[in-house]
C-alpha cells in the first residue's frame, strides 16, 4: 500500500536578502506520524515552518499540506492545520476560557459548540481549575498548554509545533509530550521542530536533520544512531590521565576523542562493532590511565547531532544514500 504523505516539500528555497535560509529543502511526513525536524540555530527550521504554514511564500520549489499547495491553495492549507509557534499567542488580559472561546468564534464555532469544545480542551490540558484566571497569571507551562489547546480547537489534520517546550520545566515538558503522543495516536500528523534532542528521541517516528537549509540526514532515531556506531566514555581518576586515555581511545577507534576536563571524561564514537568494553579497559590499564568508570553504549541523539553536523570535531559526516533526502 503506497505511503500517504501529509506534508510534502520538494526543493524549497527561501532568501532574506543575502541570507539563503532554505536551499532546496525536501520533506516527506507520512500521515499520522510525528516528524522531528532538528538542526543548529540558523539551519532553516523556523523558515520551513513559516513556508509550510503559508506565513511566508517560498522563492522556489513546492510544498503540499494534506494535498493542498501552500501557495495556490493557501486557504485550504490553513483550514487543515494547527500551529503552535515559539511564543505563546494567547492574550494575557483574557482568562484561559475567554481566550479559547475567542479563538473558537474566529474559527466560526457557534452556540453550544463554543462552550463544549472550550471546556473539553481546558479539561484535557489540565487548565479547568485556572480557566477563569487571566492568562498573564499562568506559569510558562500553563501558557504553552493553553496555546496548544487553541491550536487544536478545529481538530487540525496537521499540527506544526515550533519549539513547543522551550523554557519549560521538566514537568510541564512531560505534559506537552503526553499531549503530542495522544494526538499522534488519534491520527494527527505532527511536524515538530525542537532544540531538545531528547524530545525528538521520545516523540518522533522519523527525524530530519536540517543543516544550511537542506535536509542532510533522515531516519528513525535508531537508524540515525546506528549510522555513527556506539559511544565509549571513560572517567579518569585524575586530570593528568586524560591525555593518555584519549590516546588509547583514538588508537582503538580511529576517531577523535572529546575531552571534558571538568568532568574528567573522555568520549569517542566507536564505529567498530567488534570493540568491547573489556578490551577498552585492558588497553587503558596497560597505558597507565587510571580509570574509575567506563561505558560502551548506544549514542544519544545529542551525540548523533554533534557528529552528523560536525559540531563535535569540526568535521561533518556526509549523508548516506539511504538517509539523505
Amino acid at each position: 500500500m503506497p505511503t500517504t504523505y501529509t506534508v510534502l516539500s520538494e526543493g524549497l528555497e527561501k532568501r532574506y536578502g543575502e541570507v539563503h535560509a532554505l536551499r532546496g529543502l525536501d520533506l516527506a511526513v507520512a500521515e499520522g506520524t510525528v516528524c522531528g525536524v532538528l538542526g543548529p540555530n540558523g539551519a532553516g527550521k523556523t523558515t520551513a515552518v513559516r513556508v509550510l504554514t503559508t506565513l511566508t511564500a517560498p522563492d522556489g520549489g513546492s510544498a503540499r499540506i494534506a494535498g493542498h499547495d501552500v501557495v495556490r491553495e493557501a486557504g485550504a492549507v490553513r483550514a487543515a492545520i494547527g500551529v503552535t509557534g515559539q511564543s505563546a499567542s494567547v492574550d494575557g488580559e483574557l482568562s484561559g476560557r475567554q481566550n479559547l472561546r475567542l479563538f473558537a468564534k474566529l474559527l466560526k464555532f457557534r452556540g453550544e459548540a463554543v462552550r463544549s469544545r472550550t471546556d473539553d480542551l481546558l479539561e484535557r490540558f489540565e487548565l479547568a481549575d485556572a480557566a477563569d484566571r487571566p492568562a498573564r497569571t499562568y506559569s510558562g507551562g500553563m501558557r504553552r498548554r493553553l496555546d496548544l489547546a487553541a491550536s487544536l480547537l478545529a481538530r487540525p489534520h496537521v499540527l506544526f509545533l515550533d519549539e513547543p517546550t522551550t523554557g519549560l520545566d521538566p514537568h510541564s515538558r512531560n505534559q506537552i509530550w503526553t499531549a503530542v503522543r495522544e494526538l499522534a495516536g488519534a491520527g494527527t500528523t505532527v511536524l515538530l521542530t525542537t532544540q531538545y534532542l531528547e524530545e525528538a528521541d521520545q516523540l518522533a517516528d522519523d527525524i530530519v536533520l536540517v543543516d544550511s537549509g537542506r535536509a542532510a540526514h533522515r531516519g528513525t532515531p535508531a537508524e540515525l544512531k546506528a549510522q555513527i556506531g556506539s559511544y565509549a566514555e571513560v572517567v579518569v581518576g585524575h586530570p593528568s590521565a586524560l591525555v593518555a586515555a584519549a590516546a588509547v581511545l583514538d588508537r582503538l577507534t580511529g576517531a577523535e576523542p572529546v575531552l571534558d576536563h571538568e568532568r574528567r571524561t573522555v568520549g569517542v564514537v566507536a564505529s567498530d562493532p567488534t570493540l568491547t568494553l573489556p578490551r577498552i579497559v585492558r588497553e587503558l590499564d596497560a597505558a597507565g590511565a587510571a580509570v574509575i568508570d567506563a561505558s560502551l553504549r548506544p549514542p544519544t541523539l545529542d551525540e548523533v547531532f554533534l557528529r552528523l553536523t560536525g559540531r563535535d570535531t569540526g568535521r561533518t559526516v556526509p549523508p548516506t544514500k539511504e538517509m539523505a533526502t
Side-chain angles (χ1 to χ4, degrees):
M1 185 174 178
T3 302
T4 300
Y5 293 108
T6 309
V7 179
L8 183 65
S9 74
E10 296 179 335
L12 278 186
E13 300 274 347
K14 184 63 185 179
R15 285 183 178 273
Y16 296 101
E18 296 299 315
V19 178
H20 202 164
L22 298 179
R23 301 170 179 263
L25 180 67
D26 297 330
L27 290 174
V29 184
E31 185 173 13
T33 64
V34 178
C35 178
V37 179
L38 310 181
N41 290 331
K45 304 184 300 297
T46 295
T47 298
V49 170
R50 289 184 62 82
V51 170
L52 294 172
T53 57
T54 76
L55 295 175
T56 299
D59 296 325
S62 64
R64 300 182 71 82
I65 305 297
H68 302 291
D69 186 275
V70 297
V71 176
R72 296 192 302 272
E73 302 171 278
V77 170
R78 292 177 193 134
I81 66 174
V83 182
T84 297
Q86 292 185 21
S87 301
S89 60
V90 297
D91 188 323
E93 297 306 313
L94 299 179
S95 69
R97 192 186 311 278
Q98 288 170 329
N99 267 285
L100 291 187
R101 288 186 175 180
L102 174 61
F103 283 118
K105 290 176 181 178
L106 291 173
L107 290 167
K108 303 190 186 308
F109 282 75
R110 295 292 181 265
E112 177 62 19
V114 175
R115 186 197 63 78
S116 62
R117 185 65 176 142
T118 295
D119 290 351
D120 176 63
L121 287 168
L122 288 169
E123 195 71 40
R124 179 176 181 181
F125 286 93
E126 300 180 23
L127 294 169
D129 290 344
D132 296 311
R133 281 170 36 198
R136 58 179 165 76
T137 68
Y138 287 9
S139 67
M142 292 170 70
R143 287 175 68 92
R144 292 304 280 165
R145 297 204 308 276
L146 181 60
D147 203 37
L148 183 56
S151 70
L152 297 177
L153 276 164
R155 295 184 174 89
H157 195 65
V158 184
L159 178 63
F160 290 87
L161 300 177
D162 191 15
E163 311 278 0
T165 62
T166 297
L168 298 188
D169 61 77
H171 175 69
S172 297
R173 189 174 301 153
N174 284 332
Q175 288 180 308
I176 298 293
W177 289 2
T178 297
V180 173
R181 291 190 187 100
E182 290 175 352
L183 289 169
T188 299
T189 301
V190 180
L191 190 144
L192 165 74
T193 73
T194 180
Q195 294 286 358
Y196 296 114
L197 279 76
E198 181 192 3
E199 186 163 81
D201 207 356
Q202 289 281 337
L203 298 176
D205 301 294
D206 196 29
I207 289 174
V208 177
L209 180 55
V210 177
D211 204 4
S212 301
R214 300 185 181 92
H217 298 269
R218 179 180 189 139
T220 66
E223 288 170 340
L224 291 177
K225 291 174 184 178
Q227 271 201 71
I228 70 169
S230 300
Y231 195 80
E233 185 174 76
V234 300
V235 183
V236 299
H238 192 274
S240 61
L242 282 171
V243 173
V248 170
L249 292 179
D250 187 0
R251 175 167 51 80
L252 289 175
T253 65
E256 184 175 340
V258 177
L259 282 68
D260 186 326
H261 291 270
E262 184 176 343
R263 295 173 55 231
R264 301 199 307 274
T265 63
V266 183
V268 67
V269 171
S271 57
D272 181 359
T274 67
L275 183 64
T276 64
L277 186 59
R279 182 185 173 193
I280 292 173
V281 173
R282 286 196 304 270
E283 295 283 349
L284 288 166
D285 185 58
V291 173
I292 60 176
D293 193 17
S295 63
L296 182 64
R297 54 171 174 74
T300 65
L301 207 54
D302 294 71
E303 290 156 352
V304 171
F305 172 83
L306 292 172
R307 176 68 171 171
L308 294 183
T309 61
R311 265 69 181 178
D312 58 345
T313 64
R315 296 191 301 268
T316 302
V317 176
T320 63
K321 289 182 179 179
E322 292 78 11
M323 296 298 175
T325 56

